[in-house]
Amino acid sequence: MSGIITSKNIDPSLINLQKNNTKSYWQIVWGRLMKNKGAMAGSFILIFFIGAALLAPVLAPFPIDEMKMENRFLPPSLDHLLGTDEFGRDILSRMMHGGRISLMMGLVAVSIAGITGVVLGVISGYYRRIDIYIMQMMDILLAFPSLLLAIAIIAVLGVGLTNAMIAVAISVIPSYVRVVRGAVLSIREKEYIEAVQALGVSDFKIIVKHIFPNVLSPVIVLSTLQFGTSILAAAALSFLGLGAQPPTPEWGAMAYVGKSFLLQAWWMSLFPGLAIMLVVLGFNLLGDGLRDALDPRLK
């Protein structure tokens, strides 16, 4: 009877391993992410701000351009939860609408940088003859601090919201190129890539079917981290007067205007600055959690 195998004398780790083998890769990643407290905290922060931005036309208590000079510089109260500005406009309403602009700037910048950087990174890593030219161009861009590079680009393109998004995107592209290139260099040396090449499969099909899916994980993690960085850079440009211009209710522009009244109305700069800090923190926490969940060493 001692040789009979029952559920009591089976190693629990073997049972968990069998259960894990029945799950897909993305189910395992999702399970790891749900167990990461930092990633969940970042997700809740982002859900709060994204939800407030999307529902701003419904939830905002006042019109963003409604001026009441008799309400100038009112401190936070029950009537105006975050106070009013120099024109008597409700700061909470302007911040909710401004979140749509700030988040859109980050989304557009990351989308442009991600698409361009992935394409250049794949080409650089797969076609070695072109690699040196692409990487020399990236090295030139990396020689400048990202914010300084964005300021230089705006100096050429001109001041404005659209140009600020383009400038931030260009300053982020080298990060994508380097990450994707490194992943492609590792993948293209695998035996299965050499096998499909020997079968005469075209380079386009190899890249689309065999290489791109394997570089998707680091790109997702990098995009999450760069989203917060892009929002911060765009807000910094607006704070310097190079991005969104008043009266556009963008967080960086609101903080820029508020600094002139810092002693008189500290809330004008404090609350937009806190919003920027919390959103960037949320993306960084989520990015760290995704990096841990997608780490192949943890499979």
Side-chain angles (χ1 to χ4, degrees), residues 171-187:
S171 66
V172 173
I173 286 175
S175 300
Y176 281 93
V177 174
R178 292 174 69 89
V179 169
V180 174
R181 173 182 176 270
V184 173
L185 286 175
S186 175
I187 296 168

Side-chain angles (χ1 to χ4, degrees), residues 2 4-13 15:
S2 60
I4 298 176
I5 299 176
T6 65
S7 59
K8 294 182 179 180
N9 54 23
I10 296 178
D11 189 347
S13 62
I15 298 176

Side-chain angles (χ1 to χ4, degrees), residues 70-270:
E70 65 273 16
N71 291 338
R72 296 175 70 233
F73 301 125
L74 290 180
S77 64
L78 292 178
D79 294 329
H80 300 276
L81 294 179
L82 300 185
T84 61
D85 61 10
E86 75 276 22
F87 296 111
R89 298 173 297 191
D90 183 66
I91 291 179
L92 175 60
S93 301
R94 290 179 61 79
M95 281 189 59
M96 294 176 70
H97 284 272
R100 310 178 96 185
I101 299 174
S102 295
L103 292 171
M104 181 194 67
M105 292 178 72
L107 177 62
V108 172
V110 168
S111 299
I112 295 173
I115 294 172
T116 307
V118 168
V119 172
L120 291 176
V122 170
I123 293 174
S124 177
Y126 192 80
Y127 298 103
R128 303 296 294 151
R129 289 176 296 180
I130 309 177
D131 178 45
I132 186 172
Y133 302 106
I134 294 178
M135 293 313 299
Q136 283 180 348
M137 182 172 60
M138 294 302 108
D139 289 339
I140 293 173
L141 294 178
L142 287 170
F144 300 92
S146 57
L147 184 58
L148 182 60
L149 177 61
I151 293 174
I153 295 170
I154 288 180
V156 176
L157 299 179
V159 175
L161 186 62
T162 302
N163 292 339
M165 289 187 288
I166 295 173
V168 173
I170 294 175
S171 66
V172 173
I173 286 175
S175 300
Y176 281 93
V177 174
R178 292 174 69 89
V179 169
V180 174
R181 173 182 176 270
V184 173
L185 286 175
S186 175
I187 296 168
R188 71 189 297 270
E189 302 299 330
K190 301 293 183 181
E191 293 181 357
Y192 68 90
I193 297 295
E194 296 179 358
V196 292
Q197 288 175 339
L199 292 174
V201 179
S202 65
D203 290 344
F204 180 78
K205 288 185 177 180
I206 293 174
I207 291 172
V208 172
K209 292 185 177 181
H210 300 285
I211 292 182
F212 180 73
N214 288 290
V215 303
L216 191 58
S217 295
V219 169
I220 292 174
V221 175
L222 181 61
S223 296
T224 307
L225 296 171
Q226 289 295 344
F227 207 117
T229 303
S230 298
I231 290 176
L232 184 61
L237 292 174
S238 297
F239 184 83
L240 295 173
L242 302 175
Q245 301 297 306
T248 303
E250 193 270 336
W251 292 341
M254 292 176 66
Y256 170 74
V257 173
K259 73 179 181 62
S260 301
F261 308 98
L262 199 57
L263 297 178
Q264 187 176 2
W266 50 265
W267 53 88
M268 288 180 60
S269 290
L270 176 64

